[in-house]
Amino acid sequence: MSMVSKLLFLIISLSVYSSSYAEPDYQPLGNPAAELSESPQWNLSISTDGQGLPVGQGIASQGAKIFAIQCAGCHGPAGIGASAEPLMGEVGSLASEYPEKTVNSYWPYASSLFDYIRRAMPINAPFSLTADEVYALCAYILNSDGIISADFELNEQTLPQVTMPNRDGFIAIYPDNHSLLRTHK
Amino acid sequence: MASKPRNERRQFLQKAGLGAALTGIASTLSTPIWAKTIPQELTATLPAGMRQPGSEFSNYGQPSTHEQGVIRWISANSAASGNGVSWTPLHDLQGTITPNGLHYERHHNGVPAIDPAQHQLLIDGLVNQPLSFDIKSLLRYPMQSRTCFIECGGNSNSGWRTNPIQTQAGYAHGLVSNSEWTGIPVKLLLQEAGIKPEAKWVIAEGADGASLNISMPLEKLMDDALLALYQNGERLRPENGYPLRLVLPGWEGILNVKWLRQLRLTDQPLMSRDETAQYTELQTDGKARQFTFLMEAKSLITSPSLGMMLPDNPATYQVTGLAWSGRGKITRVEVSADGGETWLDAELQGPILAKAFTRFNLPWHWQGEYAILQSRATDETGYVQPTRETLLDNRGKHGFFHYNAIVSWEITEEGDINHVYGF
């Protein structure tokens, strides 16, 4: 190496070294994925305004039949009092001595009910229900506490319009009050 | 013991070498002294392991068969065996690193078997260019290591019950473990995709039988979050998210999404089941605390603790335990033997790392009196671990999550240990 190139080498390696301290030096290896991002398998999450809901419909009476076969074994025939979480009843119990957090008493949005049943239930066969079956199950659960009427058709348009009884029951701790309880001796 | 002076040692070697050479040729010379003077009975009393070759090499080491009782305690749903938790046996462990096979588990629907060659991570939503990554590529990124605890939001929740649960320390408080996680700063990949200014939240999704999805602030992912591929030096165990998981130091376990397949940037939280129906804390007025991400300072005496006993007195016992805080370093742990009347500072074992387990130790002279052992942690922000009374005054008794009150072990005059709620 000539004197000049030696010096250059030194300067370059030094600059790589010092810049890598703040910004790591790496080769970006992500593959463009615009198409993937549009496909249904990568759009499972349903937002509160209904974005992501599949086309379909169902009413409570249809849901009742599916519930008895697919869900009652773990959640109980009335959706409460069995091995898995309670789903129905106990609306208005949250401030009482014995509060019960059911879908109908506690969940703030109907969108998450569809989102969750489709991806996770029945727990022994996730993603086994059709969109119509999930709408029907949601209708059955919501109707059991009068949140929607018996003939109300749940579909991708109507589901996000349902107002859950505990819609305003949550206080966001993050970011403003992240850590309220401070104790001092 | 000081070693022999060099000269003497050389002389000793020379003599021994000579002796060996001579015995080979001249049998008339006396046999070495040890062969003559160790009788059969003496050799027989040596440990068996010294009188025979040991077992062969192993490709992957396992704990001693004598330690088979040191296990995670499984508490699963009777109708869905992959739904539940398993607890780290904190009472059986020392130091600060949790062995990989004993890291606590919380699975919503079992452990998926993922072929890393098939696994993809998609980063999309409010980015300039949605990107997908395979595991092979991710392994080529610059990595960082971070020792931190991960704690389930539901850890210690038996503390909300009216009566103190009589369970060993780890099986009531061991939904927390501490590991060295190695992976890629999440920030790096988000920047590669290009973050749009409207992005505020990120919805993470796992590739398990619950397809667990949950929102988290973008701010945290840009701060100290890791895409972990390694745990304590080896690739993640399947039950800890193989091949890829999120690690959000100091924040609730549920956010540290395992088997990670997607990060979608949004302007709002999703309000999924696990950020509304679960991992929220109902208070007495019927309102629930939501997005309680931070795990507050907590400590626990792991020994002596329930299930052990103090065999004799007067005697000195080493009180030891763990302290941790999601907000930073532990600065102080105090120990009380009289239910919180008087406190002594325990020694903190270094290195003290932010958002990681800190081991504390304090020798205790026990004279056989009735005692209540407690520990109380303080972190670098000045937060002091609350008493159970203070916690319940603040949060009511139906919060279920984020129980971090002082734990009390009652020592009876006989040396038995019980869990009590203190004075």
Side-chain angles (χ1 to χ4, degrees):
Chain A
M1 260 194 246
S2 72
M3 200 57 200
V4 177
S5 57
K6 260 187 197 160
L7 198 68
L8 261 176
F9 176 76
L10 194 71
I11 292 171
I12 290 167
S13 43
L14 273 182
S15 71
V16 167
Y17 182 75
S18 58
S19 73
S20 76
Y21 193 73
E23 284 296 323
D25 182 5
Y26 69 99
Q27 185 185 344
L29 294 166
N31 295 311
E35 221 170 286
L36 204 63
S37 175
E38 296 291 315
S39 67
Q41 302 93 298
W42 295 93
N43 286 281
L44 301 177
S45 284
I46 294 156
S47 52
T48 52
D49 60 6
Q51 243 188 78
L53 278 172
V55 176
Q57 68 281 314
I59 56 167
S61 58
Q62 297 164 329
K65 289 185 198 121
I66 308 164
F67 193 89
I69 300 162
Q70 300 254 37
C71 323
C74 295
H75 290 281
I80 195 160
S83 71
E85 267 89 343
L87 308 177
M88 303 185 276
E90 299 287 341
V91 175
S93 72
L94 296 178
S96 73
E97 177 65 12
Y98 300 103
E100 193 73 73
K101 294 184 277 184
T102 69
V103 170
N104 292 342
S105 75
Y106 195 57
W107 292 35
Y109 296 98
S111 57
S112 28
L113 185 58
F114 189 101
D115 176 297
Y116 183 73
I117 293 176
R118 182 172 65 160
R119 70 176 60 231
M121 290 294 141
I123 202 165
N124 46 344
F127 289 110
S128 62
L129 300 170
T130 64
D132 286 354
E133 287 173 321
V134 181
Y135 281 116
L137 282 164
C138 291
Y140 170 65
I141 293 170
L142 298 175
N143 171 247
S144 71
D145 283 302
I147 297 168
I148 59 172
S149 62
D151 54 2
F152 189 86
E153 182 190 281
L154 276 187
N155 57 43
E156 69 279 8
Q157 305 294 331
T158 58
L159 186 132
Q161 289 161 18
V162 174
T163 306
M164 297 297 281
N166 196 38
R167 169 69 186 81
D168 298 320
F170 293 82
I171 305 155
I173 297 304
Y174 178 89
D176 298 340
N177 301 310
H178 210 191
S179 176
L180 276 181
L181 178 70
R182 293 184 67 88
T183 55
H184 291 284
K185 282 172 278 176
Chain B
M1 204 173 71
S3 63
K4 285 178 191 256
R6 275 194 109 195
N7 278 345
E8 207 182 303
R9 197 188 293 165
R10 198 179 304 134
Q11 274 173 15
F12 174 78
L13 289 174
Q14 277 167 355
K15 271 187 203 154
L18 187 67
L22 289 181
T23 40
I25 1 164
S27 54
T28 49
L29 280 178
S30 60
T31 45
I33 187 155
W34 52 85
K36 211 162 56 178
T37 58
I38 296 184
Q40 200 54 40
E41 309 91 75
L42 178 56
T43 15
T45 62
L46 285 172
M50 293 172 73
R51 289 182 282 112
Q52 62 192 16
S55 65
E56 25 193 88
F57 298 90
S58 57
N59 291 115
Y60 201 100
Q62 297 296 315
S64 160
T65 51
H66 300 284
E67 298 298 322
Q68 278 172 354
V70 181
I71 52 168
R72 292 192 283 228
W73 183 57
I74 301 166
S75 167
N77 188 298
S78 55
S81 57
N83 180 264
V85 295
S86 75
W87 307 76
T88 297
L90 297 173
H91 50 276
D92 284 327
L93 303 178
Q94 254 292 359
T96 54
I97 297 293
T98 311
N100 286 346
L102 295 177
H103 193 285
Y104 89 86
E105 301 167 277
R106 165 64 172 123
H107 308 314
H108 292 260
N109 201 8
V111 180
I114 296 178
D115 175 358
Q118 304 297 322
H119 191 75
Q120 270 188 316
L121 170 69
L122 175 65
I123 297 181
D124 67 354
L126 294 173
V127 294
N128 298 330
Q129 169 68 65
L131 292 175
S132 75
F133 299 84
D134 55 28
I135 297 295
K136 250 197 206 148
S137 315
L138 291 177
L139 289 165
R140 290 173 56 187
Y141 276 80
M143 305 237 176
Q144 282 179 10
S145 294
R146 172 78 193 249
T147 300
C148 63
F149 72 84
I150 296 180
E151 181 176 20
C152 177
N155 192 24
S156 310
N157 64 36
S158 58
W160 299 108
R161 298 187 195 172
T162 315
N163 296 312
I165 194 169
Q166 299 306 321
T167 306
Q168 283 162 284
Y171 300 157
H173 305 282
L175 295 184
V176 59
S177 306
N178 194 61
S179 292
E180 184 198 63
W181 302 98
T182 301
I184 309 159
V186 181
K187 179 178 165 181
L188 225 59
L189 300 190
L190 296 183
Q191 282 170 341
E192 187 176 325
I195 303 164
K196 292 197 170 155
E198 317 89 87
K200 292 282 173 295
W201 290 81
V202 178
I203 303 158
E205 187 174 85
D208 61 330
S211 308
L212 191 141
N213 61 341
I214 188 161
S215 316
M216 53 199 70
L218 175 62
E219 181 188 37
K220 176 67 174 175
L221 296 193
M222 295 301 286
D223 179 18
D224 60 356
L226 277 184
L227 276 169
L229 292 137
Y230 297 84
Q231 179 184 6
N232 294 329
E234 64 178 0
R235 292 287 291 278
L236 301 178
R237 295 283 173 94
E239 71 266 36
N240 265 301
Y242 185 84
L244 186 66
R245 80 173 299 170
L246 277 176
V247 172
L248 272 58
W251 282 24
E252 210 172 42
I254 185 80
L255 300 159
N256 295 247
V257 177
K258 295 179 283 189
W259 316 292
L260 185 71
R261 76 190 289 259
Q262 188 174 18
L263 292 174
R264 172 163 288 181
L265 279 65
T266 60
D267 56 352
Q268 302 225 14
L270 182 71
M271 301 295 177
S272 75
R273 177 253 188 177
D274 283 310
E275 64 202 80
T276 54
Q278 305 294 331
Y279 305 98
T280 50
E281 301 142 61
L282 185 63
Q283 303 177 104
T284 16
D285 62 358
K287 301 279 180 210
R289 291 157 52 86
Q290 190 185 23
F291 305 133
T292 50
F293 299 133
L294 255 170
M295 297 311 291
E296 301 282 21
K298 188 160 162 181
S299 71
L300 171 74
I301 294 174
T302 52
S303 179
S305 64
L306 191 146
M308 304 172 188
M309 88 156 294
L310 305 185
D312 46 52
N313 72 76
T316 304
Y317 291 93
Q318 302 300 325
V319 175
T320 186
L322 295 165
W324 62 95
S325 166
R327 301 205 270 167
K329 288 183 183 171
I330 290 294
T331 49
R332 185 179 197 190
V333 178
E334 297 152 285
V335 170
S336 172
D338 54 13
E341 290 289 306
T342 57
W343 296 89
L344 268 181
D345 278 300
E347 180 221 345
L348 302 184
Q349 183 180 299
I352 300 171
L353 304 172
K355 308 175 189 178
F357 275 0
T358 297
R359 169 74 54 185
F360 63 88
N361 297 297
L362 188 74
W364 176 49
H365 308 291
W366 185 54
Q367 315 277 348
E369 74 279 14
Y370 177 87
I372 291 182
L373 289 180
Q374 298 179 325
S375 64
R376 176 169 72 185
T378 305
D379 71 18
E380 62 180 326
T381 68
Y383 178 97
V384 181
Q385 182 182 9
T387 61
R388 184 169 183 276
E389 198 182 9
T390 308
L391 185 67
L392 265 65
D393 281 352
N394 274 262
R395 302 267 167 88
K397 53 184 181 185
H398 301 295
F400 190 79
F401 299 97
H402 289 264
Y403 184 94
N404 71 326
I406 290 170
V407 177
S408 307
W409 301 120
E410 173 195 63
I411 315 286
T412 68
E413 285 160 15
E414 291 74 40
D416 292 326
I417 306 175
N418 303 306
H419 179 209
V420 293
Y421 278 152
F423 293 125

